[in-house]
């Protein structure tokens, strides 16, 4: 069954339309990315899916049922990890997990069992007695994942989960999210790291000015632009040319007098080129 369906989802703040008639379907167990520039409407969409924000118009369906703030049964299927660290600095990992479990009326025995499993799974078990203020940024993010998974949600909403993390911690988080998705957890990710979306997501939606512009696989966006790129240094700036075959790229490179670099096209290239087109409109 389809897990998430957005129908004509709209959110207005007075005269400003942050999300504009969005229609989108996310399948059960899918790892889905929502991409866009700042102000595109990504976080507002996440806010409506978490019911923190109410739609101005439109509907959200979870497993075919209408999501509202009163539907606690549907809300319990969803966990959210926000951009900000939303944990008390003076609490340790055990206390963070216990507090979360109590909010959902879990028994102490169940909280301890699940906490042990999750902290072990995320590689945090040996640091469980450290307070939040003593944790690295990567460890804090992992703890937020543990806390979100304590209630065994079916949907995980991730709003820029690796923002501010170093490269090693980011890759560790990627591996963790892949493992969770392999367990059939449905994941919706917003990120400014295009490499992250290309590495993790089965499909991505390009979002601009509150609208969904296109939904496709990362590979399809890349192929549409051209799988091979030649970066040419011209008058102090880099101009990138895209080609569908390596032979075409090499032929172009052979005919230029400028310094150049031949490489594979990335999802970031596709994103940047779309952003340029949007600016011209």
């Amino acid at each position: 069954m389809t897990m998430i369906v957005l129908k004509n989802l709209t959110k207005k703040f007075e005269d400003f339309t942050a999300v504009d008639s969005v229609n989108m379907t996310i399948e059960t167990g899918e790892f889905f990315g929502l991409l866009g520039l700042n102000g595109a409407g990504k976080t507002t969409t996440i806010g409506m899916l978490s019911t923190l924000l109410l739609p101005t118009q439109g509907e959200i369906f979870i497993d075919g049922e209408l999501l509202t703030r009163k539907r606690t049964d549907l809300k319990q299927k969803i966990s959210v990890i926000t951009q900000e660290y939303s944990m008390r600095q003076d609490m340790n990992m055990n206390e963070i997990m216990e507090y979360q479990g109590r909010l959902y009326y879990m028994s102490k025995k169940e909280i301890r069992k699940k906490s042990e499993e999750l902290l072990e799974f995320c590689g945090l078990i040996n640091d469980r007695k450290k307070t939040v203020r003593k944790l690295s940024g990567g460890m804090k993010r992992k703890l937020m994942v543990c806390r979100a998974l304590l209630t065994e949600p079916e949907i995980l909403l991730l709003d820029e989960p690796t923002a501010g993390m170093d490269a090693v911690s980011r890759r560790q988080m990627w591996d963790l999210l892949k493992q969770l998705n392999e367990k059939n957890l449905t994941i919706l990710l917003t990120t400014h790291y295009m490499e992250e979306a290309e590495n993790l997501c089965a499909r991505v939606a390009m979002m601009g000015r509150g609208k969904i512009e296109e939904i496709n696989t990362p590979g399809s966006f890349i192929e549409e632009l051209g799988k091979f790129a030649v970066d040419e240094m011209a008058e102090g700036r880099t101009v990138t040319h895209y080609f569908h075959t390596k032979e075409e790229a090499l032929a172009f490179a052979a005919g230029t007098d400028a310094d150049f670099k031949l490489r594979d096209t990335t999802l970031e290239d596709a994103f940047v080129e779309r952003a340029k087109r949007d600016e011209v409109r």
Side-chain angles (χ1 to χ4, degrees):
M1 177 183 287
T2 298
M3 179 62 78
I4 304 169
V5 177
L6 311 184
K7 290 188 175 180
N8 298 316
L9 195 65
T10 300
K11 182 62 180 179
K12 295 182 179 180
F13 298 97
E14 296 182 351
D15 295 332
F16 175 69
T17 302
V19 174
D20 190 357
S21 301
V22 164
N23 291 284
M24 188 166 69
T25 297
I26 300 172
E27 303 295 336
T28 299
E30 186 172 16
F31 205 133
F32 192 95
L34 194 56
L35 309 180
L37 297 172
N38 287 333
K42 307 182 301 297
T43 297
T44 303
T45 301
I46 292 285
M48 287 187 282
L49 277 162
S50 67
T51 72
L52 289 174
L53 294 174
L54 294 176
T56 306
Q57 293 175 329
E59 298 167 315
I60 300 171
F61 293 90
I62 305 295
D63 286 341
E65 298 189 50
L66 181 65
L67 176 66
T68 67
R69 283 182 176 169
K70 293 180 179 179
R71 289 297 304 269
T72 54
D73 57 327
L74 296 181
K75 289 164 63 177
Q76 286 179 352
K77 294 185 178 187
I78 303 168
S79 273
V80 187
I81 298 178
T82 60
Q83 299 174 33
E84 297 81 19
Y85 298 122
S86 54
M87 299 178 291
R88 277 184 52 173
Q89 296 294 306
D90 60 340
M91 294 174 72
N92 64 32
M93 294 190 189
N94 286 336
E95 291 168 336
I96 291 288
M97 298 296 280
E98 183 176 348
Y99 181 71
Q100 180 73 1
R102 285 183 172 184
L103 290 175
Y104 286 84
Y105 305 103
M106 295 172 65
S107 69
K108 281 191 175 182
K109 182 179 179 181
E110 189 180 7
I111 292 170
R112 286 178 188 148
K113 179 176 179 294
K114 285 293 297 177
S115 295
E116 189 94 12
E117 291 172 358
L118 289 166
L119 292 173
E120 180 72 45
F121 180 69
C122 292
L124 296 174
I125 197 73
N126 294 330
D127 298 290
R128 63 193 304 173
K129 293 186 178 179
K130 286 184 179 179
T131 57
V132 171
R133 67 166 53 93
K134 294 181 180 178
L135 303 179
S136 68
M139 293 170 75
K140 289 177 183 177
R141 291 289 182 190
K142 288 180 180 178
L143 180 55
M144 289 173 72
V145 171
C146 289
R147 185 179 65 175
L149 296 175
L150 185 64
T151 55
E152 299 184 330
E154 297 175 30
I155 300 168
L156 189 59
L157 306 178
L158 302 171
D159 193 10
E160 298 188 38
T162 62
M165 293 174 77
D166 61 54
V168 173
S169 298
R170 185 176 298 129
R171 295 300 176 99
Q172 290 174 345
M173 181 63 79
W174 291 1
D175 289 341
L176 175 59
L177 295 176
K178 284 178 182 177
Q179 290 177 60
L180 292 172
N181 183 238
E182 286 169 1
K183 296 176 182 290
N184 210 38
L185 182 67
T186 303
I187 300 177
L188 174 59
L189 167 79
T190 79
T191 181
H192 284 296
Y193 299 114
M194 295 301 116
E195 182 187 6
E196 184 164 278
E198 185 176 344
N199 193 282
L200 294 175
C201 299
R203 291 190 302 152
V204 296
M206 296 287 188
M207 193 169 189
R209 299 174 185 175
K211 293 179 177 290
I212 297 294
E213 296 176 345
E214 185 177 351
I215 298 174
N216 218 324
T217 65
S220 294
F221 281 114
I222 290 168
E223 288 177 11
E224 180 184 337
L225 187 59
K227 292 175 66 176
F228 301 95
V230 176
D231 294 327
E232 182 184 30
M233 286 299 297
E235 298 179 355
R237 66 188 185 95
T238 303
V239 178
T240 304
H241 308 270
Y242 301 98
F243 303 91
H244 291 285
T245 68
K246 194 169 186 178
E247 290 73 23
E248 290 174 319
L250 288 170
F252 175 85
T256 182
D257 295 326
D259 292 335
F260 70 89
K261 177 183 178 182
L262 174 63
R263 60 178 176 81
D264 292 334
T265 302
T266 66
L267 183 61
E268 182 168 312
D269 292 313
F271 179 82
V272 169
E273 292 301 318
R274 282 175 168 269
K276 287 178 183 176
R277 290 202 299 267
D278 287 345
E279 286 178 2
V280 173
R281 290 175 190 169

